[in-house]
Amino acid sequence: MKRVVTLAVVFFIASACKTNPFTGKQYVSLYGNNQLFPMAFQQYDQFLNENKVVTGTEDSEMIKRVGQRMAVAAERWLNALGQQGYLTDYRWEYNLVNSDQLNAWCMPGGKIVFYTGILPVTQTETGVAVVMGHEIAHALANHGAQRMTAGTGQQLLGVAGNVAFAKNEKNRQLFNQIYGVGSQVGFMLPFSRSHESEADAIGLTLMAIAGYNPDEGAELWRRMKAKSGGQAPPEILSTHPSSDTRIANLTALAPKAKEEAKKFGITKFRSN
């Protein structure tokens, strides 16, 4: 019986194994686009209905313009990687929302929001492209599905531990204390930081293929760091790499992004 269960688990994990088209790395995802996209589209429409969408301004038009260029770049890159049809079910949409939040995001399936609060930091269209590329990269690399899968695994292991110590309340409580902190600091937070670094790398190349100078990546994060006043939790306790780590990584990645863009005939970049 144990052998059957083990084989079933192995088969289940193997069937849920996917490959990142940009890095070639394999990952496990229990959730497919056919599950995630309809939910994301519905949540996006609800969000837009409940918030003030900015339309008809230079900034709102810039967000759409950058988004459209990035979507074209994504398709060019994916086609070159032999991933024709990867974006078939995507429904790209780019909206600027009135909010002081220093944030932007992209839902699975290409639903993007920029908050007006981040524009003073992005400053230029190229700065917007840095953020846009990063957020789109999360969607293209299926980071949302991976996070959901990791969260499910974390919960299941927690349940298994509680079952194992069910007859000893003291040990069960000790397990929960150790597992709660250990799984978060030892796995979930590093897992999140790795996604952020991966999105930085993919996004930088994406913006270069779209014709935006990837050198702006490090410059943007210098402005982000200045905006925060250096106030941030230790990297080990954060979902994101520190500003200094990101600046160093983006600086090192910029020449590689330019080399990749050359393959698409892009040798000059927009200056604004």
Side-chain angles (χ1 to χ4, degrees):
M1 183 64 182
K2 289 183 179 180
R3 180 182 176 85
V4 173
V5 172
T6 300
L7 288 173
V9 171
V10 170
F11 175 79
F12 178 74
I13 293 176
S15 64
C17 193
K18 297 178 173 60
T19 301
N20 184 315
F22 305 102
T23 66
K25 295 178 181 178
Q26 291 192 319
Y27 63 89
V28 175
S29 174
L30 304 178
Y31 305 94
N33 291 346
N34 60 332
Q35 297 170 281
L36 292 179
F37 284 13
M39 290 189 299
F41 297 165
Q42 183 179 14
Q43 290 171 6
Y44 187 76
D45 289 341
Q46 181 178 346
F47 175 87
L48 295 183
N49 287 332
E50 295 174 354
N51 290 272
K52 186 176 180 180
V53 179
V54 180
T55 60
T57 68
E58 289 185 8
D59 286 339
S60 65
E61 291 305 309
M62 175 179 63
I63 296 301
K64 293 183 187 300
R65 181 170 61 250
V66 175
Q68 288 164 358
R69 286 172 175 167
M70 300 295 268
V72 170
E75 187 162 18
R76 292 184 69 192
W77 193 9
L78 285 161
N79 286 346
L81 293 171
Q83 298 290 328
Q84 290 82 0
Y86 191 91
L87 301 174
T88 298
D89 296 325
Y90 274 65
R91 300 292 180 266
W92 296 105
E93 194 170 348
Y94 327 92
N95 281 288
L96 180 64
V97 169
N98 190 33
S99 170
D100 291 336
Q101 293 186 56
L102 196 72
N103 202 9
W105 42 263
C106 179
M107 282 184 164
K111 299 296 186 178
I112 295 163
V113 160
F114 263 69
Y115 293 120
T116 53
I118 200 172
L119 296 182
V121 180
T122 57
Q123 294 185 355
T124 66
E125 185 168 321
T126 300
V128 168
V130 176
V131 177
M132 185 79 75
H134 175 89
E135 299 304 334
I136 288 177
H138 278 308
L140 296 178
N142 292 322
H143 286 166
Q146 292 181 57
R147 285 194 297 270
M148 289 173 63
T149 299
T152 299
Q154 183 187 33
Q155 292 175 0
L156 290 176
L157 287 173
V159 170
N162 276 270
V163 170
F165 294 108
K167 295 181 180 180
N168 189 317
E169 180 62 18
K170 183 177 180 180
N171 286 345
R172 190 183 70 81
Q173 291 181 1
L174 181 61
F175 165 79
N176 283 330
Q177 291 175 359
I178 295 173
Y179 180 73
V181 175
S183 64
Q184 193 69 12
V185 176
F187 177 72
M188 294 301 289
L189 290 178
F191 187 65
S192 178
R193 290 194 296 272
S194 72
H195 278 178
E196 295 301 323
S197 295
E198 187 172 86
D200 278 347
I202 294 170
L204 210 63
T205 298
L206 195 60
M207 70 177 288
I209 295 172
Y212 295 103
N213 192 341
D215 289 334
E216 178 64 14
E219 293 302 320
L220 174 83
W221 275 100
R222 288 188 179 96
R223 296 196 294 273
M224 285 283 198
K225 180 182 178 181
K227 181 73 174 178
S228 70
Q231 299 298 314
E235 186 172 270
I236 194 173
L237 300 178
S238 177
T239 56
H240 290 59
S242 69
S243 294
D244 287 337
T245 295
R246 297 183 88 157
I247 291 167
N249 288 344
L250 289 165
T251 300
L253 288 166
K256 299 176 183 178
K258 291 178 182 179
E259 285 300 314
E260 190 66 28
K262 280 184 182 179
K263 299 176 183 178
F264 298 87
I266 308 299
T267 57
K268 295 182 179 179
F269 302 100
R270 294 177 179 87
S271 58
N272 64 334

